[in-house]
Amino acid sequence: MKIILHLCIMLLNGRIFEPEFKFKTSRSSGAGGQHVNTTETKVELIFNINNSVLLSEAEKTKLNKKLAGNINDNGELRINSGESRSQATNKEKVIKKFYALLEKALKKEKKRIPTKIPEAIKENILRKKKLHSGKKQERRFNPKDLL
């Protein structure tokens, strides 16, 4: 788990966002019996993108655009985890999700290079169009045929 976090940190130019995190805990649903009803194991990570010191303006704009569905009106990115019965495990999972989300959103997209259509295929398309056009021509009503 820690290796993955370190790998993500390295890919984000060594920036560590933990000081800018806010964590909120609540009671989790799911398996755990009475333990779930008494302990706050669900962890929510709150990260304000607009107030971040570690992100450039271009990165903030890109994140706001790409993660618009996950960001509220205050510019806060909220990520939840309540899968485990342990608060510490859920906290690690939330941090891992955050770095994976950031990495994916900030990844530079490859420019698409359009492929060329081979001449044989172009000719085949034209031939099919002419055949289809011919069928339509035969179905048309021509008044000269009645005379």
Side-chain angles (χ1 to χ4, degrees):
M1 177 88 72
K2 296 214 182 251
I3 294 170
I4 294 170
L5 282 177
H6 289 297
L7 181 65
C8 289
I9 290 169
M10 284 171 46
L11 293 173
L12 290 168
N13 300 327
R15 293 180 280 183
I16 300 171
F17 292 91
E18 275 83 354
E20 296 184 359
F21 291 163
K22 290 180 191 167
F23 292 100
K24 184 178 170 187
T25 58
S26 59
R27 291 185 182 165
S28 180
S29 61
Q34 291 178 343
H35 176 74
V36 168
N37 300 332
T38 57
T39 56
E40 295 191 348
T41 55
K42 182 179 177 181
V43 177
E44 182 178 27
L45 182 144
I46 303 165
F47 177 73
N48 195 318
I49 291 174
N50 299 331
N51 295 343
S52 177
V53 182
L54 298 169
L55 294 171
S56 68
E57 288 301 317
E59 289 173 329
K60 288 177 186 180
T61 306
K62 196 172 190 178
L63 287 173
N64 280 320
K65 183 179 167 190
K66 287 197 173 184
L67 302 175
N70 300 358
I71 298 171
N72 64 14
D73 295 336
N74 301 332
E76 294 174 337
L77 174 66
R78 292 176 173 256
I79 305 169
N80 296 318
S81 179
E83 300 162 12
S84 173
R85 289 178 59 180
S86 165
Q87 191 182 95
T89 307
N90 284 333
K91 194 172 184 179
E92 280 184 23
K93 285 182 181 181
V94 157
I95 292 170
K96 182 182 169 189
K97 282 182 190 177
F98 170 81
Y99 280 112
L101 200 63
L102 226 66
E103 187 65 37
K104 187 177 179 184
L106 293 176
K107 188 177 182 183
K108 189 175 180 183
E109 293 176 12
K110 290 183 181 177
K111 185 180 177 187
R112 184 186 172 275
I113 302 170
T115 57
K116 287 197 172 192
I117 301 172
E119 286 298 318
I121 292 175
K122 284 183 182 177
E123 289 170 9
N124 194 18
I125 290 168
L126 281 174
R127 187 180 54 77
K128 284 183 181 179
K129 280 185 177 182
K130 284 180 183 175
L131 283 172
H132 194 67
S133 174
K135 273 193 247 176
K136 298 287 184 182
Q137 290 269 333
E138 289 175 12
R139 293 180 191 157
R140 273 197 198 142
F141 174 73
N142 191 349
K144 290 181 184 176
D145 292 341
L146 296 174
L147 297 176

